[in-house]
Amino acid sequence: MVQSDNQTKNLEEIIMELCICNGLSYENIDQEGLKTTALEMFFSGYSRIVGMKYFPNLTTLILIGQSIQNITDLEHCLLLKELWIAECCLVKIDGLQKCVNLEKLYLYCNEISRIENLEALTKLSVLWLNNNLIKNIEGLRTLQNLQEVNLAGNLIEKIGSCLDFNIQIEILNLSGNKLSSFKELTSLSRLPNLKDLGLNDPQYGPNPVCLLSNYAIHVLYHIPQLLRFDTYDVSQKHIKILAETTVMKKIMYYHMRVKSVHRQLHDSLEELKESKCRLQNLPEKKIKLFSCNIKHLEHELAKLEMLDKTSRNRSPRSKDLETENSVHDTEDTEKAYLEKAFIKKISAMKERITFWNRKLDEFSSCCELIQSRFCTWDFRAYNIMGVKINRIFRVHNQILRLKFEEKFQTFLEKEVFHVAENYKEKMEYLFYVFNPKLPVKEKQLLQILEDGFQDLEVHTQPERNEAVPLCNSLSICECPRIEFLKQQAKAEGKNKRDPEESFRHGIVIIAKVFLGRSAPVCAASPICQINYPEANSVFRPWKFLGSDASTSSNELWASLEQKSCDCSGWQCEWFVFDHELVLPEYIAEFEYITLVKDKSLFSTCNVIVEEGKRSTEIFILSHDLQHDDEVLNMEPTVKVRPKIAYLDEKTIFSVAKVNIYSQVQVLNLHGNSLSQLQNISRLKTLRKLISFNEFTSLNDVYDLPNLEYFDASHNHVITLEGIRGLTKLQCFNLSWNQLKKSWEVINILNEHTPNLLSLDITHNPWYKPASLRLSVIGQLKALTNLNGVMITNEEAAEALRYIAGSKITQASLLEYSRTDEERPPILSVFSCATILSQISKNKVDSQMHYNNWYSMITVLNLDGQHLFKISNLEKLEHLRWASFSNNNLTQIEGLDSCLNLEELTLDENCISTLDGISKLTKLTRLSVNNNHLTSLKRHVFENLCHLHYISVENNRITSLVGLKKTYSLIELYISNNCVSTNQEMYHLKGLTNLIILDMSGNTIFWKQDNYRLFVLFHLPSLKALDGIRVVSYSEPTEGESARDLFGGKLTSDMIADRLGHSDFTEIQELNWATSNIRAVELVPADQFRNVYSVNLQNNDLTSFSGLIFLPNVKVLCLNYNQIESILPGQKSPNQVTNRQHLYRRVASSGYGQQELAKGRRDAGFGENLPPIMQSLEVLHLGHNGITDMAQLQLSRLKNLKLLFLQGNYISQIKGLEGLQFLQELVLDHNRIKIISRDSFAGQSGLLALHLEQNQIRELKSLQPLVKLQKLFLDFNRIQELSELEKLQVIPSLKVLSVRGNPVSLKKNCRSLLVIRLPALQVLDGTAVNAEERLKADYQRLEQDFQAANSPKDSGFPAVPANFTRQTPLRIANVNLNENINRFFDPDFTFGHELEELLPNKSNKSKSRNPRITTYNLQSIYVERTLRQAKGASTNLNHLVHHSATSKTSQMNQSNRENTSRKPASSLS
């Protein structure tokens, strides 16, 4: 009673405190409480919720910082809309069931562990449960009006589908929890109205998932409607675009990686198939050998039976009937014996075929990988002799790995003993031990892979609490399971015939384990952490396992103790107490090899067996081979007979033993060399045809209405096209041929052999053999026997269902279609059709939409439906994503109406052409992997302007020309095809958007040297090639290396790319000016045998490179390059540049092909070098920066006629010794100062010499130029007239130019040259006419006359001032020009050949006072003649300053006259 009074007093005090804090009067609480709508209590003074009955109209209640552990007394507040109970130590949500009008609930900073008892609060819009102890999101399903939820600072690890019904949520805070997987965050994408999400709020801290790379990108991609994320404003559009772009790149990258893994898997499988075929080769050869011999024996047996029948029907002709009968009896006995021998041998061979067939089947189940911790003795009780690993999966869980490493580091830091120094010894890989009494389910495996071994319910076993059971032996892991399954099967009465099937297959998890401190198991103590406080793990050796085993398994352990091997010394069972120190690494699926299969031929190859069995297997193999030989050598032997190679009328009659075609009913052509069956269609009565020959087709077999039996086995038949009119054919043998296309064979047989009952199509390389039998039975409905096996009614019914399901029907469209309008933001490499068909619930409702449901379909996934044809899609006008993978399609058809199709997947079919997609103009993604494509035709892709993804891996494509105009292409996967030539890469050069290319497995992959750099050079936009990222961060980058190696290389492929074909034999000119060419590699050079002109101006050549191999080039233009030599010498390693080092790897670059001594860089540089390019006549090397002519090795060009070296830095003329046929030499714009004695040695045939704009002062050493006709010396430094007189040594000089020289400014320069050069016709660009010639002669004669009388005052520049003697002057005949001579009398001539005025060797012997003899120049006759000549019209032809001898030299003339012009502008 006293206690009740105290409680009442306490309640009154609490209510009084409440009133005081809210300004209410406790005495008037009955009146004021009715009017109160809001109450507040902060910090202390309100330990319980009481007195609410006084406030029935309360709408807001705020209680903060109290000590309230339970919610009570709120059943009176039915109008409550907002409730705050924060920081109050609340442990449970309860007492709110009546507050149905509650809209806002704040329960943060309490000790709540579960979300419960909120189901009735359907109007709730705000819920704050942050900073509690909540582990799971639950109890919110009915709160569909929730808009703001705060669950931050809890222990939540999973989201799952807990919020799927709360689609009105706009603000969600999950910061400071234990979310560790992107998968959980993806679940939030199902909240369409989510605008504000917090996972890493600074107030609460991050989730583990926030520490992963690309966390923010992942969230923004999957929840694009977010406006705020982790307190940041993400409402700007460019942020979403950036996230989406990044994810697209990631998807592309990982898709490429997946493709690479698939490719590697495919390659590995192909290698295994090849290995399998090699191992199967022996059984198959044996089977074929015996089959062929059986055919031979059956043929001989048939002949024997026919002979016996003929002899019996023959009438007796002998008179002695008794003797005749005796002979017949003897013959009959021999024939009967022979017939039995044939039958016996045939039977023996059939037995051998059966034997080898059994061996062949057993081989397919042989193991590929062996577990190292498998002991045969442990499994002897179950007849298990080996284990085969079928698949191994690597587990990649970064969260579990981080936890493992964190725990491991924590352990090392706390360890005070020496275990840390030897921690690697404590790291072990162990098998996880499942509970043998519970089946291993997929869900359980996935849970372990995602969460590790933290769920104790997964591995809890009796007396093994708080520990993860592990072992290091497969027997410890598996034997209890096997024993349990055997006992279970025995109890249920199942698997009586083959009890091993119940345990044959198994799964094991291989975990990485840190054992830490280990202790042995104490038999008396349960295995738990309490009993082993100092240990991290405990172990139990093999010999102690039996003590803890159950009674049912005692016999098992007793049997294991009897084994004689030493495995028990290391076999142990382990128990690890901390589950975070156990990291799942691998999952292995395996099957056991039992004793029965261990006796197979191939069991010793890959399966662990007892050593004693191995010799037995080898003995059995030898014995089998010996047995085969014995059977083949059995009597009777078949005699070798001549083979028939051609089938004519005579041969047919001889084989059939008849005289006319109408009598032929059986024709056995077995064992011949026939390739055709000519005239076979004339045998209208033929009923049986046997032909074991060399046919590739059966197109001669037609219109045989009575043919019932046809054996075409053991040929090379690849197609049945041509067969027709075999209406009565009942038995058809097509085994041991080369048939591949099952759909083609079935269609032909279905159409032309309607009554076929028996068919044998074994031992053919069929495409998709798995579904072949059902396909044949389902379509050839009359068939009763297939491949020697009778067709049962059940099998026929199954085949009919199979065929019915292989057609696209209304039911299949409803089942496998969806109506989604947008592609879901899911990170997956599968096709969109595959994804949506699995996750989308938007199926078509045909009842609601009646006939309009076809137009609603946007997604169609018909993978694995055994389709032979795409049909019935005419109404699917809005289809956007479709997949038809893993079917039997041979062509693409039926998609003409699906013009909105964006993604099409046709993998794993038998398609040979892509013609059916040319109208799908909106197509963006196309996948046709693992088909039979041989080409990519241009017209197919011409209109597919949006196609950015193509995958055609594992086909037989040889050319890429069809992709030339797919300009939007971004990803191209074409690995494992037949692309072999470099030229194919040029078809992709225009695809500037292409960033991912996979061509591994093609012939070009290993055929092309430096394949990777070759592709990267021609496709510089690539970011990844063959599944490997293009390196762009190292020095040098792959792009730079590609440019260094292949940049500027003129190849046959480049020329073919420009021409559009590879027939180079008709090319006569090559013009690749201004193309950045640095090397030439035109191989084979014989293809360019008709090329006579090559223009490579304005490039980067340093040598003639591969041009030296062109056989018939006459004109070569290499102006504006960097030519150093025809074939440069070998440089020392420290002088070789990186570029030259790369060029040495190109055979035609010229580098490294010869070595020159330092002492040979002189005039005789190329004396002993062999000649090259002997057809070359014109060579342009202007503006190449040449300094030394000798290093050019020009003397090797023996037949060179025109040489242009203008615009270089040449200072000396040398290296021309071998150019005996040189006619024109251009050395304008160089730095030549002098002409040395050997400059023109041997150039007696030179006709034109250009030396303009040099630095020449003296004209000497020109004597060898006896035939020179043109000499250009403009703009040099010649100052004295005496230098010009040295030109007299060139008697044939006709054209001369000395403009721009100082000497040209002198008064008598021109007249002197005209006088001294009698053959001169053009001087300084102006023709020397007859008048000028006469004036010069007149002036000279006059001056000579004056000089003879007064040499000192003569003023003639040619006479020295100290000359005192009279020089004899004799005027000889004057030979005027032809158009001048016609004005004079025929008997009058005026010669201009004057003797030397200066003393020389020739006139030193003459008299000192010679007599001057001359004509009277003042005579009237001469004066009249001069006047006539002055008034005459002397139309001399104006000679061009630079005479051009060829079209190419004219082009170079323009370059010389415009030296300031840029190189590129000089090219047309």
Side-chain angles (χ1 to χ4, degrees), residues 27 99 162 208 337 372 374-375 492 774 934 951 983 1029 1108 1146 1160 1213 1218 1297:
E27 290 77 9
C99 303
C162 301
Y337 174 79
S372 61
F374 172 83
C375 179
E492 295 176 357
L774 290 178
T934 57
S951 182
Q983 184 178 346
R1029 185 175 58 179
I1108 65 173
V1146 183
R1160 297 186 58 189
I1213 303 174
S1297 181

Side-chain angles (χ1 to χ4, degrees), residues 783-796:
L783 207 63
T784 59
N785 188 297
L786 178 60
N787 299 334
V789 180
M790 295 298 297
I791 300 172
T792 63
N793 294 333
E794 294 79 6
E795 192 175 19

Side-chain angles (χ1 to χ4, degrees), residues 13-112:
E13 292 177 353
I14 294 173
I15 297 173
M16 186 180 298
E17 182 70 18
L18 178 63
C19 293
I20 294 173
C21 292
N22 286 275
L24 301 176
S25 172
Y26 177 72
E27 290 77 9
N28 300 321
I29 190 172
D30 293 333
Q31 293 78 21
E32 294 182 4
L34 296 176
K35 299 177 182 180
T36 302
T37 59
L39 291 176
E40 297 178 353
M41 283 293 292
F42 292 93
F43 307 117
S44 60
Y46 196 65
S47 58
R48 289 191 295 167
I49 302 177
V50 294
M52 293 297 107
K53 62 181 179 180
Y54 300 108
F55 309 99
N57 297 318
L58 191 66
T59 58
T60 303
L61 177 60
I62 301 176
L63 304 174
I64 297 177
Q66 309 299 324
S67 299
I68 302 172
Q69 296 186 351
N70 297 292
I71 301 175
T72 57
D73 210 32
L74 291 182
E75 61 271 10
H76 305 287
C77 303
L78 302 180
L79 301 179
L80 191 63
K81 293 184 178 181
E82 183 175 346
L83 176 61
W84 294 64
I85 306 178
E87 303 177 16
C88 295
C89 304
L90 188 66
V91 296
K92 185 178 181 180
I93 303 175
D94 199 5
L96 299 175
Q97 290 81 353
K98 298 295 182 65
C99 303
V100 294
N101 292 309
L102 199 62
E103 297 177 358
K104 299 180 180 180
L105 179 60
Y106 300 91
L107 302 176
Y108 60 87
C109 295
N110 287 290
E111 298 176 4
I112 301 171

Side-chain angles (χ1 to χ4, degrees), residues 472-540:
N472 61 359
S473 170
L474 192 62
S475 57
I476 299 176
C477 182
E478 280 293 288
C479 285
R481 182 184 72 88
I482 295 174
E483 187 66 22
F484 174 78
L485 292 176
K486 281 190 65 177
Q487 296 296 333
Q488 187 181 42
K490 182 177 180 181
E492 295 176 357
K494 297 181 180 179
N495 298 322
K496 292 182 179 180
R497 181 176 300 179
D498 191 5
E500 290 83 6
E501 287 298 326
S502 61
F503 60 81
R504 183 182 303 278
H505 298 275
I507 296 177
V508 65
I509 296 179
I510 304 173
K512 183 178 182 180
V513 184
F514 182 70
L515 299 175
R517 292 183 177 181
S518 300
V521 172
C522 297
S525 303
I527 300 175
C528 59
Q529 184 72 72
I530 299 175
N531 296 328
Y532 303 91
E534 298 297 328
N536 302 103
S537 62
V538 294
F539 63 94
R540 179 164 49 195

Side-chain angles (χ1 to χ4, degrees), residues 678-895:
Q678 301 93 338
N679 304 318
I680 198 70
S681 60
R682 300 174 63 180
L683 307 179
K684 302 300 180 182
T685 60
L686 186 64
R687 299 178 60 188
K688 187 175 183 179
L689 175 61
I690 300 174
S691 179
F692 167 31
N693 286 275
E694 298 176 358
F695 302 131
T696 57
S697 65
L698 301 175
N699 51 6
D700 295 323
V701 182
Y702 60 89
D703 294 336
L704 298 176
N706 293 302
L707 188 64
E708 299 177 356
Y709 181 93
F710 186 13
D711 187 351
S713 61
H714 295 277
N715 282 281
H716 309 292
V717 179
I718 60 176
T719 179
L720 296 186
E721 290 184 358
I723 286 183
R724 60 184 183 273
L726 307 182
T727 55
K728 290 188 178 181
L729 187 64
Q730 297 181 1
C731 184
F732 198 3
N733 191 340
L734 287 167
S735 60
W736 298 104
N737 279 284
Q738 296 297 319
L739 296 171
K740 298 179 180 180
K741 302 178 181 179
S742 60
W743 60 93
E744 178 186 281
V745 172
I746 294 172
N747 290 336
I748 292 174
L749 294 177
N750 192 31
E751 181 178 358
H752 300 291
T753 60
N755 296 308
L756 192 62
L757 300 178
S758 178
L759 176 65
D760 192 344
I761 52 176
T762 56
H763 302 289
N764 282 279
W766 296 106
Y767 299 140
K768 294 184 173 289
S771 60
L772 179 61
R773 184 172 179 86
L774 290 178
S775 300
V776 173
I777 297 173
Q779 296 192 53
L780 304 181
K781 297 180 176 59
L783 207 63
T784 59
N785 188 297
L786 178 60
N787 299 334
V789 180
M790 295 298 297
I791 300 172
T792 63
N793 294 333
E794 294 79 6
E795 192 175 19
E798 182 183 358
L800 291 176
R801 290 192 297 270
Y802 176 86
I803 296 299
S806 64
K807 298 178 181 179
I808 301 178
T809 61
Q810 179 176 331
S812 61
L813 288 178
L814 291 172
E815 176 67 22
Y816 300 109
S817 65
R818 299 292 186 272
T819 61
D820 296 75
E821 294 293 335
E822 298 293 336
R823 178 174 183 147
I826 294 179
L827 299 178
S828 175
V829 297
F830 294 105
S831 66
C832 186
T834 303
I835 296 171
L836 288 173
S837 64
Q838 294 177 357
I839 68 171
S840 175
K841 300 178 181 179
N842 300 322
K843 286 191 174 184
V844 179
D845 189 350
S846 59
Q847 300 296 328
M848 181 179 296
H849 299 282
Y850 299 103
N851 294 329
N852 295 328
W853 62 270
Y854 290 100
S855 61
M856 299 181 61
I857 294 178
T858 58
V859 182
L860 183 61
N861 182 10
L862 291 173
D863 294 349
Q865 298 301 310
H866 320 297
L867 301 178
F868 289 90
K869 183 179 180 181
I870 299 177
S871 59
N872 300 326
L873 303 184
E874 294 79 10
K875 298 181 180 180
L876 273 61
E877 299 176 354
H878 296 93
L879 184 64
R880 296 177 60 187
W881 304 288
S883 181
F884 302 94
S885 299
N886 194 22
N887 286 289
N888 299 311
L889 301 175
T890 59
Q891 57 184 350
I892 304 175
E893 55 186 347
L895 297 175

